[in-house]
Amino acid sequence: MLELKKVTKVYEVGEQQIMALNNVDITFRKNEFVSILGPSGCGKTTLLNIVGGLDKYSSGDLLINGVSTKMFKDSDWDSYRNTTIGFVFQNYNLISHLSLLDNVEMALALSGVSVKERVNRATKALDSVGLIDHINKKPNQLSGGQMQRVAIARALVNDPDVLLADEPTGALDSKTSVQIMDLIKEISKDRLVIMVTHNSKIAEVYSDRVINLLDGKVINDSNQVNHDEVLEVQAKKDMKKTKMSYIAALKSSFKNLFTKKGRTLITALAGSIGIIGISLILSLSNGTNAEINRTQEEAFSNFPITISRMTITDFFSNTANDDLTSYPDSDAVITESNDGGFATHYNNISTDFVEYLRGLNSSTYSEISYQYNFPLHIYNKNGNIYKEVLENGFSYTSGTKTDNLSSYDLLEGEYPESEDELVLVVDQYNQISRYTLSDLGLSVSGSYTLSDFVGLTYKIATNNVYFKQVDGVYTENTNLEEMYNNNESLDLEIVGVLRIKEGVENGNLNEGINALPSLQTKLHDNALASNIVIAQNADKTINVFTNEAFNDQLTFDEINNAIGGDESPVSINIYPKDVDTKKDIKDYLNAYNIGKAEADKVIYSDMSESFTGMITKIINTIALVLSALAGISLVVSSIMIGIITYVSVIERTKEIGIMRSLGARKKDISRIFNAETLIIGLTSGLLGVITCLILIIPANMIIEHFTKVNGLMKLNPLHALILIALSSGLTLLSGIIPSRIAAKKDPVIALRTE
Ligand code: ADP
Ligand code: MG
């Protein structure tokens, strides 16, 4: 039983007010066939929409089984439409991209009926209107009469109490009209049917009651409900809330996207471009970093860990402090906190530290070499001419147990065995630098053979030879001949010429003159035991060169350093056995600093690591910049997908109206559009990743051709997943506004659009 009480509906169009219904009072019986007659524009459709809960009355009330609907919420109207009302429209209002079965199922899907039951009931409903053979056809494959039957089946599938039909035969020929009217008459046997028509003949033949409307007012009612008539009240129907499942929403979106395969594919392709870009860049930078790490492990594992008095802790540090102002007005000059643009740390390599280093597990390194500071004065004799040579010293065959010399071919002479033996190292072309030649006291313009170098001899003036005490102060000896011939001077001889073996990439000797580390130890010990050092350390306040007291300008440390009196090393090289022990060594060195003040910390440097670290940093920065660019295309494509979704919303306005008339909540509508953008985003993500994986194959071939590195580009599976999620997320985000717009559409207006 439905009751309209003084229902008025006013539409406002701009300034104008259109009164579509004017104080309409009608009571409908539980079971009757009512026809609403009236000329076009008199308010028939409006009346039907208000009874069906599709449109809201402006004033008055609609009573459902005696209950007022004044306090109805959106969700109450939604479930009222879904459970109690069935709509049939003049223009059928079928969803064109769904099959007949899916069209009929839609009403059930909205109320959350299980798939199996849905198919069952929808098939039955289609059978009852005689369309069992066509259930998989699309609406456009049917005749008008058949389409109207589908609409009737859809209206009946939920077994509603009320069937509302708005000119159901308006678009049909008279023969088909009769069939449809017979069907509706049949339906009206056990429910209320309210049919709008302007055909008075049909109204008279089929219905029990004819109501005439004019200008929004009831002007005649052929079978009005009497005051004393006892009305049958509908058994209270379970108005359970409609709720479309996410799966049903996804399925609907899938079907829609599938009917527009071409557009969907192009959209997804456009969306995938950003993903392809980012994933290619990520694969390249990942692969390059992995390759660098691998080469580092291979090639640099025998590079030493170095501890020097000064170490650069950050190549990229900013020289300016954060609290400095640029272009200051003040005239103060500020001492830079960093040196040469690098962050530096001064290591105090104390005897404590050297002692600590002796505790390092000897299985982790092949050698530890200590470099010391001491005066080095070397002379040669050429005929009667004495000359100071090798003024810049030479390299020590660092890290060499002699087996490390095994990566060198002996071209001439012998390998050095004792500290008084030197070797000359030439490069792969047998070259030596002019610098080395002149250092050795040889003419830069001469031509030489390997044997010319073997057998060259030199003398090192030790501290006792070089520093003489004259008149109570020490002075430097300037008599080269005397020093050269002094018994205390040490002999040096070049005993061999070495060249790196073919195919060995990293030798550990420097080109030029090399001595064994034991020479350094000997010279350092010698300096420590020399007269001048002993004298200087006996009284640390007086400078042994002047007999004057030290002051701020000249300190004991400076002099003691210059004469080789400093016991602690200037630098230490630790040669790890391999990559793993290198880590152990670093752990051991780091442990020394725990709990120490900043100034007492000893910070090592790992040349190979800082080198590769720098490259890695550069690569990552480049990758970031490129990713940002690719990211822009991702954003652009997301916006594009948003626009396409908006277009889709406009296109599907009618469909939105139909679904709302079937009881879809606003939420269900936005859910369907969100599902649609999600599918597009997911597809473009997947498409992007797959395209990237395909592109990597030829890209790697090209890279291998040029660099001999195989399989450089690799896409990290985690990155792939993140990118797919990103693509889905972004497109979902871009679709939120259009899907909101869709959800907010007024169902009545939506239904009126073509
Ligand atoms: P009928 O179905 O009898 O032809 P309607 O119920 O569709 O008439 O319309 C009744 C009146 O209300 C008409 O004058 C129509 O122009 C007006 N009307 C209907 N819907 C709207 C609307 N959404 N906005 C403004 N005016 C409307
Ligand atoms: Mg109408």
Side-chain angles (χ1 to χ4, degrees):
M1 172 198 130
L2 287 171
E3 204 175 341
L4 294 166
K5 275 194 165 168
K6 300 210 178 319
V7 165
T8 298
K9 175 70 186 179
V10 178
Y11 289 112
E12 307 206 0
V13 183
E15 299 281 277
Q16 214 186 345
Q17 293 203 331
I18 297 166
M19 196 175 261
L21 292 178
N22 186 357
N23 274 308
V24 174
D25 280 300
I26 309 174
T27 305
F28 297 101
R29 298 180 181 86
K30 175 185 170 247
N31 188 354
E32 60 179 341
F33 191 152
V34 185
S35 284
I36 314 269
L37 264 176
S40 182
C42 71
K44 304 184 294 294
T45 301
T46 307
L47 178 71
L48 218 55
N49 285 343
I50 284 175
V51 170
L54 210 53
D55 210 347
K56 308 274 158 61
Y57 43 84
S58 310
S59 66
D61 196 2
L62 168 67
L63 301 177
I64 303 170
N65 290 323
V67 180
S68 165
T69 56
K70 277 184 178 161
M71 307 301 279
F72 261 34
K73 296 193 289 283
D74 277 352
S75 60
D76 295 318
W77 286 118
D78 292 337
S79 53
Y80 167 66
R81 281 199 303 280
N82 189 251
T83 57
T84 311
I85 302 291
F87 273 105
V88 174
F89 306 94
Q90 175 179 352
N91 48 3
Y92 331 121
N93 281 347
L94 299 177
I95 299 172
S96 58
H97 62 84
L98 295 181
S99 70
L100 305 194
L101 189 64
D102 288 330
N103 262 290
V104 177
E105 261 189 58
M106 180 60 82
L108 295 169
L110 290 169
S111 49
V113 176
S114 76
V115 179
K116 213 177 129 198
E117 198 188 332
R118 239 148 61 192
V119 176
N120 221 332
R121 277 166 64 179
T123 314
K124 244 184 226 156
L126 281 164
D127 192 17
S128 70
V129 296
L131 288 172
I132 189 71
D133 297 333
H134 307 273
I135 57 171
N136 289 318
K137 284 190 178 164
K138 293 277 167 69
N140 60 10
Q141 294 168 301
L142 301 180
S143 70
Q146 284 174 317
M147 283 198 267
Q148 198 56 294
R149 283 166 194 269
V150 177
I152 292 170
R154 180 180 62 188
L156 293 180
V157 73
N158 263 336
D159 190 25
D161 301 332
V162 184
L163 182 79
L164 302 176
D166 195 348
E167 310 209 20
T169 60
L172 301 175
D173 60 71
S174 54
K175 197 175 148 223
T176 320
S177 295
V178 170
Q179 291 170 356
I180 294 294
M181 284 316 299
D182 287 343
L183 187 59
I184 293 176
K185 179 79 188 165
E186 183 69 24
I187 291 162
S188 73
K189 279 187 181 151
D190 49 4
R191 72 196 81 221
L192 168 63
V193 172
I194 306 173
M195 182 182 77
V196 163
T197 180
H198 52 253
N199 186 329
S200 56
K201 213 169 145 221
I202 286 187
E204 262 150 43
V205 172
Y206 287 94
S207 48
D208 315 323
R209 177 177 174 189
V210 179
I211 297 172
N212 291 84
L213 276 189
L214 188 64
D215 293 340
K217 280 190 189 137
V218 178
I219 51 164
N220 184 44
D221 189 339
S222 69
N223 190 6
Q224 210 167 349
V225 174
N226 294 322
H227 282 296
D228 49 354
E229 189 174 336
V230 181
L231 288 170
E232 221 180 318
V233 175
Q234 202 77 36
K236 186 124 177 109
K237 198 157 186 169
D238 174 23
M239 295 239 289
K240 78 174 175 126
K241 299 272 179 262
T242 57
K243 184 183 189 305
M244 192 184 202
S245 68
Y246 281 100
I247 302 289
L250 271 174
K251 198 179 150 197
S252 156
S253 313
F254 250 124
K255 288 207 165 124
N256 176 54
L257 289 175
F258 207 73
T259 52
K260 289 179 279 184
K261 283 190 253 4
R263 185 206 280 187
T264 307
L265 204 68
I266 289 169
T267 314
L269 260 176
S272 69
I273 289 170
I275 297 290
I276 295 173
I278 297 179
S279 53
L280 280 176
I281 291 158
L282 281 177
S283 328
L284 187 62
S285 72
N286 271 350
T288 316
N289 282 338
E291 179 63 20
I292 287 171
N293 285 340
R294 202 183 57 77
T295 5
Q296 183 200 5
E297 294 202 346
E298 252 178 32
F300 298 116
S301 65
N302 56 353
F303 267 50
I305 295 169
T306 304
I307 297 143
S308 329
R309 291 216 167 142
M310 188 199 89
T311 187
I312 294 169
T313 51
D314 187 357
F315 283 98
F316 290 100
S317 79
N318 193 344
T319 54
N321 268 328
D322 286 344
D323 43 78
L324 291 183
T325 41
S326 47
Y327 311 105
D329 294 326
S330 118
D331 54 3
V333 173
I334 295 150
T335 313
E336 266 187 79
S337 57
N338 295 333
D339 294 294
F342 307 133
T344 49
H345 174 83
Y346 289 90
N347 283 324
N348 172 18
I349 310 178
S350 59
T351 39
D352 268 1
F353 179 74
V354 174
E355 198 53 45
Y356 176 78
L357 211 49
R358 291 199 209 290
L360 177 62
N361 186 344
S362 61
S363 66
T364 57
Y365 58 88
S366 56
E367 175 143 350
I368 302 183
S369 72
Y370 298 88
Q371 286 76 47
Y372 296 97
N373 220 0
F374 46 80
L376 189 61
H377 299 282
I378 303 172
Y379 306 101
N380 79 342
K381 179 188 179 188
N382 198 351
N384 280 330
I385 302 188
Y386 296 91
K387 198 158 85 172
E388 176 154 14
V389 291
L390 289 169
E391 280 174 79
N392 296 294
F394 28 71
S395 317
Y396 295 96
T397 57
S398 46
T400 54
K401 304 268 169 78
T402 347
D403 61 350
N404 276 8
L405 292 181
S406 63
S407 50
Y408 287 82
D409 282 322
L410 183 64
L411 298 183
E412 185 78 27
E414 291 160 15
Y415 285 111
E417 266 161 16
S418 59
E419 68 257 12
D420 56 350
E421 295 179 334
L422 305 175
V423 279
L424 175 68
V425 178
V426 297
D427 73 3
Q428 75 211 75
Y429 307 106
N430 276 17
Q431 291 185 117
I432 64 170
S433 67
R434 290 160 191 273
Y435 177 77
T436 306
L437 275 178
S438 85
D439 237 11
L440 287 172
L442 298 172
S443 158
V444 184
S445 53
S447 65
Y448 302 94
T449 60
L450 293 172
S451 58
D452 291 338
F453 295 93
V454 177
L456 290 175
T457 56
Y458 303 92
K459 289 277 188 179
I460 306 177
T462 58
N463 268 9
N464 281 348
V465 175
Y466 189 75
F467 296 109
K468 288 282 172 212
Q469 204 179 17
V470 180
D471 301 333
V473 293
Y474 279 89
T475 55
E476 293 171 358
N477 194 343
T478 51
N479 187 338
L480 305 191
E481 182 176 356
E482 192 266 318
M483 287 194 281
Y484 188 88
N485 294 310
N486 194 309
N487 282 340
E488 274 194 70
S489 290
L490 303 175
D491 287 309
L492 279 182
E493 182 181 356
I494 297 179
V495 297
V497 181
L498 301 180
R499 183 177 65 197
I500 195 158
K501 283 187 172 152
E502 217 178 318
V504 178
E505 283 196 25
N506 296 291
N508 29 35
L509 299 186
N510 292 325
E511 275 154 33
I513 302 295
N514 283 262
L516 294 184
S518 51
L519 174 63
Q520 173 170 244
T521 317
K522 182 169 181 174
L523 292 172
H524 181 227
D525 289 347
N526 198 303
L528 285 178
S530 64
N531 296 334
I532 185 171
V533 168
I534 289 169
Q536 181 61 77
N537 280 272
D539 184 352
K540 296 185 180 178
T541 59
I542 303 294
N543 182 348
V544 290
F545 288 103
T546 58
N547 266 350
E548 282 166 14
F550 287 115
N551 54 33
D552 277 353
Q553 267 69 49
L554 192 60
T555 64
F556 162 77
D557 281 340
E558 281 168 329
I559 292 298
N560 196 40
N561 254 324
I563 59 177
D566 192 349
E567 277 184 72
S568 58
V570 222
S571 69
I572 304 171
N573 287 329
I574 307 170
Y575 295 84
K577 278 247 165 70
D578 54 44
V579 188
D580 294 328
T581 59
K582 191 174 198 173
K583 287 195 188 86
D584 295 339
I585 295 170
K586 287 179 177 177
D587 287 344
Y588 186 77
L589 292 175
N590 289 332
Y592 177 79
N593 292 333
I594 294 170
K596 289 221 163 41
E598 196 56 37
D600 294 330
K601 283 186 178 162
V602 174
I603 294 172
Y604 59 80
S605 63
D606 179 353
M607 271 310 284
S608 60
E609 194 186 73
S610 20
F611 174 66
T612 50
M614 205 149 61
I615 292 182
T616 309
K617 238 177 183 173
I618 292 169
I619 288 175
N620 287 344
T621 311
I622 294 173
L624 198 71
V625 172
L626 292 178
S627 297
L629 289 179
I632 292 173
S633 71
L634 195 64
V635 171
V636 169
S637 59
S638 301
I639 292 173
M640 189 195 69
I641 289 171
I643 294 169
I644 290 176
T645 310
Y646 179 69
V647 170
S648 172
V649 167
I650 306 255
E651 276 180 351
R652 293 168 73 189
T653 302
K654 182 91 179 210
E655 187 181 334
I656 294 168
I658 297 168
M659 291 206 287
R660 293 302 305 277
S661 77
L662 293 175
R665 300 169 299 168
K666 289 180 178 174
K667 226 187 242 175
D668 297 323
I669 303 295
S670 61
R671 203 173 269 184
I672 284 171
F673 284 95
N674 284 339
E676 198 167 309
T677 42
L678 188 67
I679 292 169
I680 293 179
L682 204 68
T683 314
S684 26
L686 279 171
L687 215 63
V689 167
I690 291 169
T691 314
C692 167
L693 290 175
I694 293 170
L695 287 178
I696 279 178
I697 298 169
N700 271 340
M701 283 175 167
I702 294 168
I703 292 171
E704 187 171 357
H705 179 258
F706 286 109
T707 66
K708 309 244 171 346
V709 178
N710 100 62
L712 180 76
M713 288 177 74
K714 268 187 217 91
L715 184 60
N716 181 337
L718 181 69
H719 289 169
L721 282 180
I722 291 174
L723 285 176
I724 292 172
L726 187 74
S727 161
S728 315
L730 271 179
T731 37
L732 188 61
L733 203 68
S734 71
I736 278 180
I737 294 172
S739 71
R740 279 250 172 94
I741 294 172
K744 281 201 181 132
K745 277 197 186 300
D746 181 337
V748 177
I749 296 171
L751 275 173
R752 275 178 200 265
T753 50
E754 270 318 312

